[in-house]
Amino acid sequence: MQDLWDTVSYIESFPGQTVSLSVMGGVPDWMGGTSIQSSKEAYWVRMIASLLMYGRTERHLTLNLISPVNESDWNGTEGPKSDPQQLTRLLDSLGHRLDSLGMGDVRFVVPDTSSPEEARTRYLPAVLANPFVLDKTARIGIHSYDGSAGSVPDLVAQGSAASKGVWATEFNARCDGCDTGTQPSATWDHAQSMARVLLSLISQGVTGAQLYDGWDGYYEHHRSLGYWGALKYDAATGTYAPRRTFDVFSLFLTAVPPGSVHIASAASSSGGEAGVDVQAFLSADGRVTVVGINHSGTAAHLRVTSSAAQLSAPTLTVASPDADGVGKAATPQIDGNALLLTIPEGAVFVAAAAR
């Protein structure tokens, strides 16, 4: 457990960083193993509350966001199986327990189901119908490995949780074998697919995303080293190095700071073939940023128009299939209120300009 607290402490030491803790894996066998026996729910509540209280009182951490049950709609390996009614009951009891311990500021990220459709049709109706649990919920959490948000953002936007927003608390492109010790081979293809999943989720109204996984590591509930990481582990040397996923995700993270407003989605095509996917953002300092992927099979020429009368200080940064890392591309031309971009074949890119 000290590794956990040391990691949280390190992340929280950076200004503006907040940890959302996710409890993964089953519960003790005496509590139910792959599910939580109804007679043992109070023990589960005590277990999660004591976890948070130790981090708060002994390690003096913030710890105000938690996903206490991971993928309760799945097979009991990623987290204990809980139907919507039990999950809501657990959250209600845990919220009251935290209040009684002086941790009333802790908020939930739920339901964190493996299926966005299960979240929309089964879990969210139950969770959001409980006013206390709704008040204790900070964000609606879903997982997606195919780019579908399951219409969850549409459901949330129309109801009592509209102000909370939807996070993809696990997202990536699918990776067969990554859970069971097989490293991905086509690392650029996977990185580009990850970017397409992320842009697809943004286009559907997802407001935050957490990549699964930050780095390769051993997972107790899989009894295997997982190779989803943006940082790959070399067992021979005991060191980590970036995968191409790291290049692409860090490019997006740098380009779109927290608090940016999503202002547009677009896709271009030619001859019926897939072309370029783009998402546009406006940052707090007034900078327009366009992130995208050119999967057209050839270099793409784009004209990006802004509502501002004039743009200035344009930049273009790319991650491409044929070179590790990211780098500056040719400075875009400005034509009044438009950026003229040339995007290399296969590249993931970020273009930005001041208004």
Side-chain angles (χ1 to χ4, degrees):
M1 294 298 290
Q2 295 308 314
D3 287 342
L4 168 67
W5 303 129
D6 289 346
T7 302
V8 175
S9 178
Y10 177 76
I11 295 171
E12 288 190 354
S13 71
F14 290 87
Q17 299 305 308
T18 300
V19 171
S20 179
L21 199 61
S22 176
V23 182
M24 300 181 69
V27 295
D29 288 341
W30 62 266
M31 200 180 287
T34 58
S35 61
I36 302 170
Q37 297 175 17
S38 58
S39 62
K40 300 296 193 297
E41 290 179 5
Y43 290 101
W44 177 87
V45 168
R46 193 178 303 173
M47 178 177 69
I48 302 300
S50 67
L51 173 79
L52 291 168
M53 192 164 188
Y54 181 91
R56 281 282 188 91
T57 61
E58 299 299 321
R59 295 299 298 263
H60 310 292
L61 302 170
T62 303
L63 289 179
N64 55 12
L65 286 176
I66 186 169
S67 168
V69 183
N70 184 62
E71 296 191 350
S72 58
D73 61 325
W74 195 228
N75 60 7
T77 301
E78 297 289 341
K81 291 184 288 187
S82 301
D83 62 31
Q85 289 69 40
Q86 184 185 44
L87 177 61
T88 304
R89 191 166 62 245
L90 290 169
L91 294 172
D92 187 286
S93 297
L94 178 59
H96 282 97
R97 176 74 173 180
L98 293 172
D99 284 353
S100 70
L101 294 172
M103 293 186 288
D105 61 323
V106 174
R107 291 293 182 269
F108 303 139
V109 182
V110 289
D112 267 5
T113 52
S114 64
S115 164
E117 289 76 16
E118 285 285 290
R120 174 175 54 83
T121 60
R122 298 182 61 225
Y123 284 83
L124 282 174
V127 168
L128 301 182
N130 183 308
F132 178 75
V133 173
L134 174 61
D135 180 64
K136 288 291 184 184
T137 298
R139 296 290 185 271
I140 305 303
I142 59 172
H143 296 175
S144 178
Y145 289 83
D146 62 2
S148 171
S151 297
V152 170
D154 294 335
L155 172 70
V156 171
Q158 299 167 8
S160 54
S163 63
K164 300 182 183 299
V166 177
W167 282 357
T169 49
E170 283 186 24
F171 90 93
N172 207 323
R174 295 191 184 281
C175 181
D176 295 335
C178 280
D179 275 334
T180 53
T182 302
Q183 293 207 43
S185 53
T187 56
W188 174 256
D189 290 346
H190 186 263
Q192 190 190 67
S193 296
M194 178 276 293
R196 294 185 73 172
V197 168
L198 177 57
L199 295 187
S200 174
L201 292 170
I202 292 171
S203 73
Q204 296 167 70
V206 169
T207 58
Q210 297 171 336
L211 179 68
Y212 187 91
D213 206 347
W215 55 84
D216 295 345
Y218 187 84
Y219 278 89
E220 295 286 349
H221 57 288
H222 286 299
R223 295 181 174 85
S224 175
L225 192 68
Y227 285 106
W228 291 92
L231 297 177
K232 64 181 178 181
Y233 179 66
D234 185 334
T237 62
T239 58
Y240 287 87
R243 284 193 176 94
R244 298 311 311 276
T245 311
F246 181 90
D247 297 339
V248 172
F249 198 51
S250 62
L251 178 63
F252 283 179
L253 280 175
T254 304
V256 187
S260 299
V261 177
H262 180 223
I263 55 177
S265 300
S268 67
S269 62
S270 176
E273 299 297 325
V276 180
D277 295 337
V278 298
Q279 304 293 331
F281 300 86
L282 182 64
S283 61
D285 62 1
R287 195 164 179 80
V288 175
T289 300
V290 176
V291 299
I293 312 166
N294 175 16
H295 44 83
S296 65
T298 185
H301 303 282
L302 303 179
R303 181 183 180 89
V304 179
T305 304
S306 168
S307 60
Q310 184 69 39
L311 298 174
S312 63
T315 60
L316 177 62
T317 310
V318 300
S320 60
D322 52 2
D324 287 347
V326 299
K328 295 290 184 183
T331 301
Q333 293 182 329
I334 292 179
D335 182 11
N337 66 337
L339 286 178
L340 305 181
L341 308 175
T342 298
I343 311 301
E345 177 185 348
V348 177
F349 66 94
V350 169
R355 298 201 306 170

